[in-house]
Amino acid sequence: MNWFRILKLYWFTIYYLKPIQIFYRIKNYIKPKSSLFIFKGILPTAKESENSFVQPSEYEPCFFKNDYFCFAGRKRKLSEVGWAAPDEEKLWRYNLHYFNDLKSHDSKFRVGQQLRILSDWVDENLPGTDLAWDPYPTALRIVNWIKWFYADNKLPDKCLKSLSIQVRFLYNRLEWQTLGNHLFSDAKALVFYGVTFNDPESDKFFNRGLKIITEELSEQILEDGGNFELSPMYHCLFLEDILDLFNLTKSYPNSFNSNFVKTLRLTAIKMVQWLNCMTHPDGEISFFNDSAKGVAANLKNLSLYATRLNINVRPKENKSSQIEFHHLENSGYIRINSNHAAFIIDVGRIGPNYIPSHAHADTLSFEFSLSGQRVVVNGGTSTYELNEQRLKERSTESHSTVEINGESSSE
């Protein structure tokens, strides 16, 4: 690659960034103030809710006996890799700090194990520890700890102390440099903590998070119901965020206005309809842009979650013998059903100009199922590491479309 091409790539990347992204990329090189990591001496206490938090989406367990962890098919023992897990890929290490296991379907049978892991995390990951305290895993961890608390589990005092530090740190390190789903997850964590616990800064956290969510909903959800990053996997993650927030409005109805609640309900319905078009007859998502099975809840699980919240989604099964044509015009996807065949075709842009991080060079690619079996698919995503595998998975050659002169179509 010559210098001219490198400079051109940098130019066409930076050109589309928003000024706030550039500003915070520079600002975040400055080390966070040590005062953000100091416990202020007031233990958070739970606010009284009007209704119980409805059972959210459940996941497969990822913590096992003898403290084995399994993410992306890779099983490791905590005593061997440690919380830093330096030899593992960054995505595996991030998963280690998400605590998604707290929402697994058998969680209630492993409370003792989970308490031990929670305690160990607090002891071994001091405030400010690299990666463990990155804003995105911190945001997801805050929500997962609180959802576990809603399932009638008691958080130890040292976890509550840590939680209060984590949320204050997150408030001061919101991911404005990234925007998109990262910023939305950050805001969701602020809302969850602010509405659930009493502490001197709860209202500040809650109001900031709610303001960001309200603004980002109109930016990140397209008219046809798709998430603007155009990845079916991230669409599922975002839809679960919407359902979690709606769940929260039912538990604390006096904390949210009716327009916000109505917006969440309508957004959830549109997003389920979009996901129905982008799901294969086998019930799993199509592989456009960054997508893979098993990372997010699928259509069935998300629809059941919506039903438990009294959101009437009723996804239509794609089993009609007639030809059906669905054009998700704002997202740029087409779904065609004919007898036992289903086609999903990408005819749109790669995603938002200022966040191409989850985009693939998959323009005009298609996926095809016959009699419930996948016949033609894109390659999907297995890693986020900056390496040859990542570049290959995002390239045109890994997708069911035409490659010209060995170039990726999105350059």
Side-chain angles (χ1 to χ4, degrees), residues 340-379:
H340 300 291
F343 289 88
I344 308 174
I345 310 165
D346 181 355
V347 296
R349 58 199 179 101
I350 66 169
N353 290 336
Y354 60 92
I355 320 176
S357 51
H358 292 302
H360 286 207
D362 58 3
T363 302
L364 301 183
S365 66
F366 73 98
E367 297 201 346
F368 169 51
S369 282
L370 184 63
S371 299
Q373 299 293 318
R374 298 186 184 215
V375 178
V376 179
V377 293
N378 290 315

Side-chain angles (χ1 to χ4, degrees), residues 221-363:
I221 301 301
L222 306 173
E223 281 298 312
D224 59 18
N227 176 264
F228 77 154
E229 295 195 54
L230 304 181
S231 154
M233 183 177 78
Y234 280 93
H235 179 96
C236 291
L237 293 170
F238 200 98
L239 173 54
E240 184 175 0
D241 286 343
I242 297 298
L243 295 174
D244 283 345
L245 287 166
F246 187 81
N247 203 347
L248 210 58
T249 68
K250 294 175 73 70
S251 296
Y252 301 91
N254 295 326
S255 297
F256 302 90
N257 67 55
S258 58
N259 286 334
F260 180 71
V261 177
K262 181 180 179 181
T263 298
L264 291 178
R265 178 186 289 274
L266 294 176
T267 299
I269 293 171
K270 286 199 307 181
M271 292 189 76
V272 170
Q273 291 170 344
W274 187 95
L275 183 58
N276 189 51
C277 284
M278 299 300 294
T279 295
H280 279 274
D282 65 6
E284 299 293 342
I285 57 171
S286 48
F287 296 158
F288 295 97
N289 294 313
D290 274 342
S291 291
K293 291 182 184 179
V295 176
N298 61 19
L299 173 64
K300 179 181 178 181
N301 289 329
L302 291 167
S303 298
L304 288 173
Y305 186 12
T307 300
R308 290 194 293 273
L309 292 170
N310 295 319
I311 300 176
N312 186 12
V313 289
R314 295 181 183 175
K316 182 180 178 182
E317 294 186 6
N318 299 304
K319 294 183 178 179
S320 173
S321 61
Q322 303 296 317
I323 295 177
E324 294 183 348
F325 181 92
H326 303 277
H327 185 193
L328 300 170
E329 189 172 354
N330 306 104
S331 305
Y333 290 110
I334 290 173
R335 169 69 175 251
I336 304 171
N337 295 324
S338 176
N339 294 323
H340 300 291
F343 289 88
I344 308 174
I345 310 165
D346 181 355
V347 296
R349 58 199 179 101
I350 66 169
N353 290 336
Y354 60 92
I355 320 176
S357 51
H358 292 302
H360 286 207
D362 58 3
T363 302

